[in-house]
Amino acid sequence: MAYQQARGDLFLKMVGYEPLDNAFGMEEETTLTMALPGDVDVHGWSISSGISVKSPDPTQLEQLELKCFGAVCGEDFVVRDNRRLREKVPCLGAYLDGQLVGSCYVYVAGRYACVDSLMVDEGFRRRHVATTLLKHAVEDARRVGAVPYLHADAEDVPKDIYARLGFRVVDMAYEYSCTDFADLKLD
């Protein structure tokens, strides 16, 4: 863990960022990198057949992000961050009856595909939106020969949900950029 932290800090300094240890009242937290082994069958996951998955409408995506994160992060930050991220990273949207009810970003780096910023409208959390998005992202990743992975806060409930789906912890890192994919043990 200390080695990973030091490597991550070095990487952040090399690209012009200083680690945020205790800056702005932020505390260091452990983030789990969880990968889905190739032998996990996603066909048994509970999904909703009424959900269509496609590239989200930018305005609807922005409204969903504001609804989910606006009160916590501030409207200006959410809008600016969403627009900048959307320019660089492909996003999947989950639609139910024409309404965007969930989204996630998916990007491929080498033989890994990261599923990030999984978000579900609070009013639709029991409708299998998250597992429908995850299944779609996993199937796309596997089609191109990539191992799907995601990050989860070590203290939050989603890590337990991901574990029930078959994701396994393969690394622990303070920042996402600290993950060294060459060191991940997937078997």
Side-chain angles (χ1 to χ4, degrees), residues 6-170:
R7 284 181 45 191
D9 289 351
L10 178 63
F11 171 78
L12 291 172
K13 286 179 184 177
M14 286 171 44
V15 295
Y17 295 98
E18 292 292 323
L20 294 176
D21 296 349
N22 299 317
F24 310 107
M26 297 175 73
E27 295 179 19
E28 184 174 327
E29 293 181 359
T30 299
T31 300
L32 305 176
T33 301
M34 300 178 78
L36 189 67
D39 62 350
V40 173
D41 182 12
V42 299
H43 297 297
W45 290 4
S46 295
I47 64 167
S48 174
S49 60
I51 293 176
S52 63
V53 178
K54 60 185 179 181
S55 184
D57 172 76
T59 303
Q60 289 181 342
L61 180 60
E62 195 167 276
Q63 291 305 310
L64 179 62
E65 291 216 351
L66 282 169
K67 186 175 182 181
C68 293
F69 300 116
V72 175
C73 300
E75 185 174 321
D76 289 343
F77 174 80
V78 171
V79 169
R80 186 176 58 249
D81 188 55
N82 176 282
R83 289 178 182 168
R84 193 172 34 226
L85 192 57
R86 194 175 338 112
E87 290 172 359
K88 299 175 181 172
V89 182
C91 186
L92 294 176
Y95 283 86
L96 187 61
D97 298 326
Q99 180 182 355
L100 182 67
V101 295
S103 69
C104 65
Y105 290 93
V106 182
Y107 50 94
V108 177
R111 61 181 206 124
Y112 296 95
C114 182
V115 180
D116 204 359
S117 300
L118 180 61
M119 197 175 30
V120 176
D121 185 309
E122 204 172 313
F124 296 88
R125 293 229 168 123
R126 301 268 182 230
R127 304 286 297 272
H128 304 295
V129 175
T131 50
T132 303
L133 278 167
L134 280 172
K135 181 178 179 187
H136 188 86
V138 166
E139 289 173 338
D140 283 353
R142 286 180 171 172
R143 264 192 287 282
V144 297
V147 175
Y149 78 97
L150 45 76
H151 296 284
D153 187 316
E155 304 300 320
D156 286 343
V157 171
K159 75 166 178 359
D160 300 325
I161 295 168
Y162 300 145
R164 283 195 301 274
L165 293 174
F167 283 88
R168 291 197 316 240
V169 174
V170 293

